[in-house]
Amino acid sequence: MNTQDLAAALAARTGLTRTAAEDTVSTLLDLIATEVTDGEKVTLPRFGVFEARHRAARAGRDPRTGEPITVAARRVPVFRPSSAFRGRVDGRP
């Protein structure tokens, strides 16, 4: 399922026009990305948590040459599903 499919499903369930549903999905995803970028945690009960984590610099290898390289430190986005979401995916009520 991609963003357009998600918007179409939202439109079908809520009665929104497809354009309004696409705008809603786009705005929601942009808000989550903006908050996580700003260092905030976005918690959606019964779904999960979006947050940014710091990944430390580490040693690695260039896959072409095998030479050791240093992989720079960075911030990465992380999603932690809630136990309710994990249970639903696993088929538990």
Side-chain angles (χ1 to χ4, degrees):
M1 176 177 267
N2 60 29
T3 304
Q4 290 179 340
D5 295 338
L6 185 60
L10 179 64
R13 283 192 179 190
T14 62
L16 291 172
T17 65
R18 187 171 178 131
T19 304
E22 286 176 358
D23 289 344
T24 302
V25 169
S26 177
T27 301
L28 177 65
L29 295 176
D30 185 54
L31 284 169
I32 292 171
T34 299
E35 290 299 312
V36 171
T37 299
D38 292 344
E40 298 296 321
K41 199 183 281 192
V42 178
T43 303
L44 303 173
R46 301 191 52 79
F47 187 72
V49 177
F50 296 90
E51 63 184 333
R53 289 193 186 150
H54 181 265
R55 192 173 282 174
R58 60 187 170 83
R61 293 207 173 269
D62 184 327
R64 286 179 286 165
T65 64
E67 292 291 317
I69 60 172
T70 300
V71 179
R74 62 178 68 189
R75 286 180 48 197
V76 294
V78 176
F79 173 71
R80 276 189 337 227
S82 70
S83 59
F85 183 43
R86 285 193 309 267
R88 187 171 178 180
V89 169
D90 191 33
R92 291 177 277 156

